[in-house]
Amino acid sequence: MVLDINAYVGHWPFKQLQYNSCPKLLERMDRFGVDVSVISNLNGIFYKNTQSANEELYNELRSETRFKDRFIPFAVINPLYAGWRDDLELCLSAMGMKGIRLFPQYHDYEMTEPSLAELIKRARDHGVPVAFDIRMVDSRQRSWLDIPLFDYNAPVKKDIIFKEWSLKNIIPVLREVPDAKYIVVNLANSLSLNDEELELIKKCDILFDTSGREIRAEDSLNELMMRFGKEKFAFGTHAPLLDYVTGRLRIESMSDEEADESVKELLRSGNAKRILGI
């Protein structure tokens, strides 16, 4: 079985996308041998009320019976939106969504935001994972209307903060709620951690997907598994924003000495099924 933990439907306002509906995404899944995909609605990043995007996804998934066993929906929730608690309960209890997607960079809150910790604790109590994106698109090709490349509100010019995340950005919320389930996708920048941060990630129930550029020759998937553990990684494409092949090749190209068939099965679906509870 091959399970993609990082895919989307919906629109990206700065780029024309293909295969960004359930029927079209299913075509790509069938072409590349993907059995099941975790999906969210990209529109939820940009709607003021993210629940409208969750309703769009829910209705699309109900439109054809073939979608039922092929897609696992995650709700987009903004913990700064006044009605987020009701939205969360509705998505998980009534709509049957199996996880949460959060976009702090786009919804403009810090990882220390109290309502974020509350949201993650509620997701934990429901037994569902919370997913963060290190980045959505390469900032070198960003539109001038996209989120700023730098934080120009930094108090001192020399302290200007690069808006693209590194792995360190998720550490505050792991410390705050260490017993939740986490998914972190599109590892695109520095994976540098101190010893305490590394131990925290090893202790947490967390998955990284294979779509990010940091999982490459310099930091190969095999080397990262030796560092973090083979149970910390799972196949993910970031489709349709990224291609459908690279994330899979990073698994299948490993030699038998790097990863035998049992390890590759963990990466293809075993680790994802564990964190999704399926």
Side-chain angles (χ1 to χ4, degrees):
M1 180 182 183
V2 178
L3 198 165
D4 179 2
I5 64 168
N6 180 19
Y8 297 95
V9 296
H11 298 282
W12 190 254
F14 315 114
K15 178 182 179 180
Q16 185 182 48
L17 298 179
Q18 300 183 48
Y19 311 106
N20 60 331
S21 66
C22 287
K24 292 296 184 180
L25 191 61
L26 198 54
E27 287 180 18
R28 299 294 276 177
M29 291 166 61
D30 289 340
R31 177 178 176 182
F32 294 104
V34 176
D35 299 290
V36 178
S37 288
V38 171
I39 59 171
S40 297
N41 189 348
L42 283 169
N43 300 338
I45 300 175
F46 301 98
Y47 289 171
K48 288 184 178 180
N49 181 1
T50 63
Q51 189 62 7
S52 299
N54 297 326
E55 291 170 357
E56 287 176 353
L57 177 59
Y58 175 71
N59 290 331
E60 185 173 8
L61 290 174
R62 296 181 69 202
S63 67
E64 297 189 41
T65 56
R66 63 186 176 134
F67 297 154
K68 181 180 179 181
D69 296 326
R70 304 296 300 276
F71 295 115
I72 299 173
F74 273 33
V76 178
I77 301 291
N78 179 1
L80 295 188
Y81 189 75
W84 73 262
R85 294 172 183 83
D86 292 335
D87 294 343
L88 178 69
E89 191 63 33
L90 183 62
C91 287
L92 298 182
S93 299
M95 293 182 174
M97 296 195 175
K98 304 301 182 183
I100 306 300
R101 290 296 290 257
L102 300 177
F103 300 92
Q105 294 157 296
Y106 283 87
H107 292 154
D108 198 25
Y109 57 87
E110 300 296 330
M111 296 296 280
T112 53
E113 167 63 39
S115 60
L116 171 62
E118 180 187 350
L119 189 158
I120 293 174
K121 289 174 183 177
R122 288 177 180 242
R124 174 201 63 195
D125 294 343
H126 278 275
V128 301
V130 172
F132 292 98
D133 288 82
I134 292 295
R135 73 173 181 182
M136 291 301 299
V137 294
D138 190 333
S139 62
R140 294 170 297 180
Q141 302 167 351
R142 58 179 287 279
S143 163
W144 64 276
L145 289 170
D146 205 343
I147 57 173
L149 185 60
F150 296 98
D151 181 2
Y152 293 104
N153 294 318
V156 182
K157 190 172 182 179
K158 67 182 179 63
D159 293 331
I160 285 176
I161 300 168
F162 192 50
K163 273 288 192 177
E164 276 201 2
W165 278 12
S166 68
L167 190 52
K168 278 183 177 289
N169 286 86
I170 68 166
I171 294 297
V173 78
L174 296 184
R175 289 194 181 112
E176 181 72 17
V177 194
D179 54 347
K181 297 179 181 180
Y182 295 97
I183 297 173
V184 179
V185 299
N186 203 2
L187 293 169
N189 297 306
S190 172
L191 304 181
S192 176
L193 300 169
N194 62 37
D195 291 342
E196 181 270 332
E197 292 164 343
L198 179 59
E199 285 305 307
L200 177 62
I201 283 181
K202 287 182 177 180
K203 291 177 181 178
C204 287
D205 193 0
I206 187 170
L207 273 188
F208 305 110
D209 87 323
T210 58
S211 71
R213 73 179 184 193
E214 284 303 304
I215 303 179
R216 54 186 178 175
E218 294 94 323
D219 290 298
S220 71
L221 182 54
N222 176 54
E223 290 169 341
L224 290 173
M225 287 195 301
M226 288 191 292
R227 182 181 180 194
F228 293 103
K230 63 181 183 296
E231 73 283 355
K232 299 294 188 185
F233 292 88
F235 170 59
T237 62
H238 206 61
L241 291 161
L242 295 179
D243 72 88
Y244 231 94
V245 178
T246 304
R248 182 78 181 274
L249 281 175
R250 286 169 174 149
I251 297 172
E252 305 305 334
S253 64
M254 286 191 293
S255 68
D256 291 340
E257 290 75 23
E258 292 174 323
D260 61 22
E261 191 60 22
S262 64
V263 172
K264 288 182 179 179
E265 279 301 304
L266 288 178
L267 300 174
R268 294 180 189 123
S269 65
N271 290 334
K273 287 193 287 186
R274 183 200 77 241
I275 209 163
L276 292 167
I278 60 175

